[in-house]
């Protein structure tokens, strides 16, 4: 758990995560933040209490005797509960899970900035970014929702200061220039539903703020 | 309580400690059953602590028909709906050790497992999950904390029952995964504030106990 977190998950994202509606890239960021933040763990559990109350008062549908017998007979069947990955260094359990237990495989983006794409698909993308102190944080296109969770170090932009555990929520309206703070290298977990635009990277590297 | 026994063998110290802890658990458990703890929570604790099959059968009879109704809404073929119900209930049995009534109601714990299993099975993807908090093995439950959380949840159910049908439908759709994050209003109007602070208390107690246990 990380103390001193001031930027938390908006309520609609917590509900969408609890209900399973949140696309996987964002769900990973929410799971990582909750792993670091007791405040949001309590808020998520409260939302799950509401979900439980819905389940409790839901319309029932008759269960066949066969299903009941099958479940009660299966109690002794040996099962292997998958071993959940745990935090390693700045990477919380769900991130280690997504990395399949391996350290991130970084690819250079130039100027000391590196990225490791965890997932890239129709539902959006999620990746790790490593930005040296004082460098601009690569931006992600801003076509839709963008979540950036600080795992180590800090960055700041026009909207505020984001330290370990802080989550920045941006939409297409936000024009910002995040810069990694002095001190430790800033490592972020960033998810977006916009497609990653790799091709435009190289010419833009010369700009103070580069978009990918 | 460990200082007097420091000079004896390590094994003795450990067994003495276990004894003391077990006794205090038995005492607390007695308080728990004296209090007004819901049947579902008692069944779940019996499954968790005693691997009680009869209690599990009762949980099954209560939750499986509700789960089936809820999962069927996802539009999954009926054979798959029963597979998911089976999978959820077996997960409840196997993961019972993680159930902590100071932080979660049985219904909310099962809701969460059901959402996970439904996503894993229907979408064939692993849903990212927060790190689990380890429950101390010989945790002594605080009955008043459990009862308080149950009372808050009873209030929540009353609030749900007071919703107009159209509102209730929207809330159900939000919690059953039928609305996207941009379609979900920031506030559902459900009173969750006091529930959140109860859960927060449960978390703090858990952190404290785990820290105490980690001390040499
Ligand atoms: Zn938070």
């Amino acid at each position: 758990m990380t103390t001193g977190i001031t930027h938390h998950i908006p309520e609609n994202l917590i509900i969408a995560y609890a209900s399973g509606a949140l696309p996987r890239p964002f769900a990973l960021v929410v799971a990582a933040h909750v792993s670091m933040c007791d405040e949001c763990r309590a808020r998520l559990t409260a939302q799950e209490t509401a979900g439980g109350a819905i389940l409790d008062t839901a319309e029932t549908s008759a269960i066949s005797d066969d299903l009941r017998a099958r479940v009660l007979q299966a109690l002794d069947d040996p099962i292997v509960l998958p071993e959940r990955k745990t935090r390693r260094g700045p990477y919380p359990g769900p991130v280690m899970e997504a990395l399949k237990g391996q350290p991130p495989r970084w690819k250079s983006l130039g100027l000391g900035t590196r990225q490791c794409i965890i997932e890239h698909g129709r539902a959006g993308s999620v990746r790790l970014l490593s930005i040296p102190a004082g460098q601009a944080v690569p931006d992600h296109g801003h076509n839709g929702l963008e979540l950036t969770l600080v795992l180590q170090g800090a960055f700041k932009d026009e909207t505020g200061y984001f330290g370990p555990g802080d989550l920045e929520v941006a939409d297409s309206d936000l024009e910002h220039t995040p810069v990694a703070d002095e001190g430790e290298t800033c490592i972020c977990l960033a998810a977006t539903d916009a497609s990653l635009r790799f091709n435009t990277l190289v010419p833009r590297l010369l700009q103070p703020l580069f978009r990918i | 309580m460990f200082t007097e026994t420091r000079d004896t063998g390590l094994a003795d110290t450990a067994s003495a400690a276990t004894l003391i802890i077990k006794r205090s658990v038995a005492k607390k458990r007695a308080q728990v059953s004296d209090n007004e703890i819901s049947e579902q929570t008692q069944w779940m604790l019996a499954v968790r602590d005693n691997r009680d099959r009869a209690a599990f059968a009762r949980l099954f009879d209560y939750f499986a028909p509700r789960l089936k109704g809820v999962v069927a809404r996802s539009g999954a073929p009926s054979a798959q709906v029963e597979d998911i119900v089976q999978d959820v209930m077996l997960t409840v049995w196997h993961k019972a050790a993680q159930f902590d009534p100071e932080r979660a109601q049985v219904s909310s714990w099962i809701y969460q497992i059901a959402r996970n299993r439904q996503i894993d099975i229907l979408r064939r993807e692993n849903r990212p999950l927060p790190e689990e908090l380890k429950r101390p093995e010989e945790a002594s439950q605080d009955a008043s904390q459990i009862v308080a959380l149950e009372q808050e949840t009873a209030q929540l159910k009353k609030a749900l029952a007071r919703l107009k049908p159209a509102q209730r439908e929207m809330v159900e759709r939000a919690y059953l995964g039928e609305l996207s994050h941009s379609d979900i209003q920031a506030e559902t109007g459900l009173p969750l504030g006091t529930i959140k602070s109860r859960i927060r208390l449960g978390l703090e107690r858990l952190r404290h106990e785990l820290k105490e246990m980690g001390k040499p």
Side-chain angles (χ1 to χ4, degrees):
Chain A
M1 189 199 33
T2 310
T3 46
I5 297 175
T6 54
H7 301 273
H8 298 277
I9 309 168
E11 207 65 23
N12 66 324
L13 293 184
I14 294 213
I15 298 173
Y17 174 81
S19 79
L22 201 59
R24 224 188 105 84
F26 299 129
L28 178 59
V29 179
V30 169
H33 178 87
V34 169
S35 301
M36 302 168 83
C37 176
D38 270 0
E39 174 64 24
C40 288
R41 191 184 283 274
R43 288 169 61 215
L44 171 61
T45 315
Q47 291 295 355
E48 287 167 349
T49 309
I54 300 274
L55 172 66
D56 212 351
T57 53
E59 277 182 44
T60 59
S61 176
I63 293 287
S64 62
D65 291 344
D66 181 50
L67 174 64
R68 187 178 194 273
R70 230 169 34 227
V71 169
L72 295 181
Q73 271 161 25
L75 297 185
D76 291 326
D77 290 357
I79 55 138
V80 185
L81 287 176
E83 186 87 13
R84 295 268 301 274
K85 304 278 185 291
T86 51
R87 168 179 275 271
R88 196 191 289 179
Y91 311 110
V95 174
M96 287 313 296
E97 197 73 45
L99 290 168
K100 301 186 169 65
Q102 299 302 310
R105 269 191 251 164
W106 296 109
K107 295 249 163 64
S108 174
L109 290 176
L111 303 174
T113 296
R114 300 178 299 165
Q115 76 170 348
C116 164
I117 296 173
I118 295 177
E119 245 177 67
H120 179 219
R122 263 186 308 154
S125 68
V126 58
R127 59 189 162 151
L128 289 163
L129 290 165
S130 167
I131 309 110
Q135 290 278 348
V137 177
D139 209 352
H140 339 270
H142 272 263
N143 292 333
L145 180 65
E146 169 192 307
L147 299 182
T148 309
L149 172 67
V150 179
L151 301 178
Q152 175 191 294
F155 71 79
K156 49 190 172 180
D157 68 10
E158 293 83 344
T159 69
Y161 179 90
F162 298 82
D166 279 330
L167 177 72
E168 185 178 56
V169 182
D171 59 20
S172 39
D173 297 336
L174 179 69
E175 277 300 327
H176 64 151
T177 317
V179 174
D181 201 19
E182 293 307 319
E184 233 177 343
T185 297
C186 179
I187 297 179
C188 296
L189 178 68
T192 172
D193 48 17
S195 58
L196 296 177
R197 295 191 300 247
F198 302 102
N199 298 340
T200 60
L201 174 65
V202 176
R204 282 170 184 269
L205 271 178
L206 298 173
Q207 299 180 5
L209 162 69
F210 47 90
R211 290 170 180 262
I212 304 167
Chain B
M1 69 180 163
F2 296 100
T3 37
E4 301 101 305
T5 49
R6 190 171 278 165
D7 294 331
T8 65
L10 189 64
D12 286 346
T13 314
S15 66
T18 315
L19 257 180
I20 292 165
I21 291 167
K22 284 219 167 115
R23 221 175 290 140
S24 78
V25 168
K27 207 175 97 216
K28 293 253 167 118
R29 189 58 43 73
Q31 291 168 358
V32 165
S33 45
D34 286 342
N35 271 296
E36 302 273 301
I37 288 192
S38 71
E39 275 184 313
Q40 283 100 319
T41 304
Q42 291 183 31
W43 296 334
M44 195 59 228
L45 289 175
V47 168
R48 186 189 77 182
D49 299 339
N50 311 322
R51 308 308 282 150
D52 184 329
R53 283 155 194 272
F56 179 78
R58 287 178 156 161
L59 276 176
F60 182 94
D61 291 337
Y62 185 83
F63 282 106
R66 288 170 168 77
L67 282 169
K68 191 173 170 185
V70 159
V71 176
R73 286 180 63 145
S74 67
S78 58
Q80 210 170 14
V81 170
E82 290 221 332
D83 283 350
I84 292 170
V85 173
Q86 171 171 349
D87 198 287
V88 170
M89 290 311 298
L90 285 174
T91 306
V92 167
W93 173 258
H94 291 298
K95 289 198 165 178
Q98 288 163 10
F99 174 67
D100 181 352
E102 288 188 31
R103 291 189 290 130
Q105 296 281 286
V106 183
S107 60
S108 88
W109 192 63
I110 294 183
Y111 165 80
Q112 180 228 323
I113 291 174
R115 299 318 298 165
N116 295 345
R117 297 310 298 150
Q118 195 169 326
I119 291 167
D120 290 0
I121 294 169
L122 293 179
R123 289 197 216 147
R124 294 201 188 84
E125 59 177 45
N126 265 325
R127 184 187 186 202
L129 298 175
E131 281 165 16
E132 278 159 7
L133 299 177
K134 299 233 173 353
R135 200 174 54 80
E137 291 216 343
E138 295 282 353
S140 49
Q141 313 280 202
D142 180 346
S144 62
Q145 166 77 14
I146 300 173
V147 171
L149 183 56
E150 291 196 333
Q151 283 167 350
E152 305 296 353
T153 310
Q155 293 298 319
L156 170 67
K157 278 192 201 157
K158 277 190 195 143
L160 270 173
R162 280 195 297 267
L163 293 179
K164 297 192 182 79
Q167 269 179 306
R168 163 87 196 192
E169 175 63 20
M170 282 308 273
V171 168
E172 275 190 14
R173 291 181 65 202
Y175 287 94
L176 298 180
E178 294 163 16
L179 294 183
S180 75
H181 60 86
S182 37
D183 291 335
I184 296 173
Q185 303 284 318
E187 300 292 334
T188 55
L190 297 177
L192 294 177
T194 45
I195 291 179
K196 193 196 86 183
S197 37
R198 281 286 155 205
I199 293 164
R200 181 89 220 204
L201 271 178
L203 275 173
E204 274 159 21
R205 249 175 60 86
L206 179 74
R207 297 273 188 209
H208 179 74
E209 279 194 33
L210 289 172
K211 217 160 99 194
E212 287 294 310
M213 286 189 7
K215 281 184 184 162

